[in-house]
């Protein structure tokens, strides 16, 4: 090590200058030079790898994943290698880390829990970048996963039908151990959606049901065929089974009328769009039939006839 350090110092023309200027011993000079060399080499390696990835792929998700992985790996190697340069008694490192870990575990419980959560997310993969999830009361699309937290682009809240609110939510990684997680994207990549239509008791509800079945078939029948293929793939990993995937219209009775509920398969991010298209077709079709009317809560008032006053004047 000393010979290499001397060679570097002679090449750069700085031999003895550091010690003379600020009184750093030759041993520490060697350590500083090796540390700078490690930083330089690893930085070049990171730059070259990312340059190659950027040239071979234009996918933003792939680029992001490579950037995060390479940056973490380089940073980890940098800490290990520089630490090995500066710690004389490497053999005593295990005992030192044991004592350090005990103290850190007490003082930094939450950060360590978040690191454990990060490891769990990477290893078990309850969700990945780009997945739409709900954890606790928060729901959104996963746009970032870091050492201590992951980030969601929020959906729902004051916005209907699972559309984006535009807000960014940062959630500690340790939350995965405390809250249940719902993943819209993993496994079976479709969700069931229901659209209730309430018609009056006086309406021709049977004709209305036929019309609704025709409309929902036009919008969702093709998706049902695709879902059958997806569910076969998902069944290899999860115990998922559906007897019927075709759109259905169910009948029930409410206080204000007859409820016809359309149930169909849709993609999670297209739920509101599908409702919009179906509702427009329903309004157009019902407008052509005078014997079909939408129902809504009403109240009826009956006037009692005035009582005849037979009392004497």
């Amino acid at each position: 090590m000393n010979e290499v350090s001397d060679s570097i110092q002679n090449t750069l023309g700085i031999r003895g200058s550091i010690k003379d200027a600020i009184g750093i011993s030759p041993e520490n000079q060697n350590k500083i030079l090796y540390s700078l060399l490690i930083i330089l080499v690893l930085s070049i390696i990171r730059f070259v790898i990312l340059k190659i990835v950027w040239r071979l792929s234009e996918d933003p998700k792939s680029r992001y994943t490579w950037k995060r992985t390479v940056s973490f790996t380089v940073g980890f190697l940098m800490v290990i290698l520089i630490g090995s340069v500066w710690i004389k008694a490497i053999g005593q490192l295990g005992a030192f880390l044991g004592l350090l870990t005990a103290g850190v575990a007490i003082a930094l419980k939450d950060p360590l829990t978040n690191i454990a959560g990060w490891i769990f997310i990477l290893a078990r993969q309850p969700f990945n970048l780009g997945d739409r999830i709900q954890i606790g009361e928060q729901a959104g699309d996963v746009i970032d996963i870091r050492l201590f937290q992951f980030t969601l682009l929020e959906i729902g809240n004051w916005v209907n039908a699972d559309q984006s609110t535009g807000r960014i939510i940062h959630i500690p990684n340790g939350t995965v151990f405390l809250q249940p997680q719902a993943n819209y994207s993993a496994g079976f990549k479709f969700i069931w959606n229901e659209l209730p239509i309430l018609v009056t008791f006086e309406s021709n509800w049977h004709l209305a049901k036929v019309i609704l079945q025709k409309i929902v078939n036009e919008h969702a029948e093709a998706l049902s065929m695709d879902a059958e293929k997806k569910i076969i793939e998902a069944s290899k990993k999860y115990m998922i089974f559906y007897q019927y995937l075709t759109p259905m219209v169910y009948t029930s009775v409410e206080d204000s009328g007859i409820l016809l509920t359309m149930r169909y398969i849709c993609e999670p991010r297209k739920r509101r769009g599908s409702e919009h298209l179906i509702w427009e077709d329903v309004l157009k079709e019902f407008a052509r039939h005078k014997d079909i009317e939408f129902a809504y809560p009403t109240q009826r008032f009956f006037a009692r006839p005035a009582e005849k006053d037979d009392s004497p004047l």
Side-chain angles (χ1 to χ4, degrees):
M1 178 179 290
N2 291 333
E3 294 178 357
V4 176
S5 176
D6 292 342
S7 177
I8 295 175
Q9 292 180 12
N10 290 331
T11 301
L12 298 178
I14 59 173
R15 182 174 180 83
S17 60
I18 299 178
K19 180 181 179 181
D20 296 339
I22 55 177
I24 299 178
S25 66
E27 182 181 0
N28 287 335
Q29 290 182 39
N30 294 338
K31 292 179 179 180
I32 291 173
L33 289 173
Y34 273 100
S35 299
L36 294 176
L37 184 61
I38 290 170
I39 294 173
L40 178 62
V41 171
L42 291 178
S43 298
I44 292 174
I45 292 174
R46 177 183 178 276
F47 176 80
V48 171
I49 293 176
L50 294 181
K51 199 72 174 178
I52 295 173
V53 171
W54 256 245
R55 182 176 299 175
L56 297 178
S57 175
E58 295 183 357
D59 179 36
K61 182 178 179 180
S62 178
R63 286 183 170 185
Y64 175 87
T65 303
W66 271 97
K67 182 179 179 181
R68 298 294 303 169
T69 303
V70 172
S71 297
F72 173 78
T73 303
V74 168
F76 180 76
L77 290 175
M78 198 175 293
V79 171
I80 295 298
L81 294 177
I82 293 177
S84 66
V85 170
W86 285 91
I87 297 177
K88 293 182 179 180
I90 292 295
Q92 300 176 358
L93 180 60
F96 169 75
L97 290 178
L99 295 174
L100 179 64
T101 301
V104 169
I106 297 174
L108 302 176
K109 176 184 176 182
D110 290 339
L112 288 176
T113 302
N114 291 331
I115 294 175
W118 174 74
I119 296 173
F120 174 80
I121 293 171
L122 295 183
R124 187 63 180 85
Q125 295 185 339
F127 52 82
N128 291 302
L129 283 174
D131 286 356
R132 174 162 292 186
I133 69 168
Q134 179 174 346
I135 180 165
E137 297 181 355
Q138 309 297 335
D141 298 320
V142 182
I143 59 175
D144 191 18
I145 300 175
R146 300 199 177 192
L147 186 62
F148 294 102
Q149 64 185 21
F150 60 93
T151 304
L152 303 181
L153 180 61
E154 186 187 40
I155 62 171
N157 207 325
W158 68 85
V159 177
N160 293 326
D162 295 341
Q163 286 197 309
S164 174
T165 65
R167 295 199 309 182
I168 300 295
I169 303 178
H170 301 289
I171 300 177
N173 290 334
T175 308
V176 298
F177 299 127
L178 304 175
Q179 297 287 346
Q181 304 112 48
N183 195 323
Y184 293 67
S185 306
F188 186 53
K189 298 183 182 298
F190 296 89
I191 61 172
W192 286 98
N193 192 38
E194 293 190 352
L195 195 60
I197 308 291
L198 190 65
V199 299
T200 62
F201 289 109
E202 296 77 17
S203 295
N204 186 347
W205 67 268
H206 188 269
L207 175 60
K209 184 172 182 178
V210 171
I211 293 172
L212 295 179
Q213 186 68 61
K214 178 183 177 183
I215 292 173
V216 75
N217 284 344
E218 291 175 353
H219 288 277
E221 196 166 25
L223 285 176
S224 297
M225 292 186 290
D226 188 32
E228 290 181 3
K229 301 176 183 178
K230 298 292 185 182
I231 202 171
I232 294 175
E233 297 176 8
S235 64
K236 298 176 182 178
K237 186 175 181 181
Y238 301 101
M239 185 58 188
I240 299 178
F241 174 76
Y242 288 111
Q243 187 174 3
Y244 301 106
L245 293 174
T246 53
M248 295 287 291
V249 179
Y250 293 95
T251 307
S252 59
V253 176
E254 301 290 330
D255 293 339
S256 303
I258 298 175
L259 183 65
L260 303 173
T261 303
M262 291 182 285
R263 177 177 168 86
Y264 62 95
I265 288 283
C266 73
E267 298 178 29
R269 290 177 173 82
K270 296 182 179 180
R271 187 164 73 93
R272 190 169 197 174
S274 68
E275 289 186 2
H276 162 74
L277 296 174
I278 290 174
W279 262 115
E280 285 196 343
D281 287 349
V282 170
L283 294 173
K284 291 176 184 176
E285 289 296 323
F286 279 15
R288 298 175 184 173
H289 300 274
K290 301 300 181 183
D291 56 345
I292 300 177
E293 294 182 349
F294 290 104
Y296 49 88
T298 58
Q299 291 182 337
R300 296 184 180 183
F301 297 93
F302 298 92
R304 298 178 59 184
E307 297 181 0
K308 186 177 180 181
D309 188 3
D310 296 330
S311 59
L313 296 177

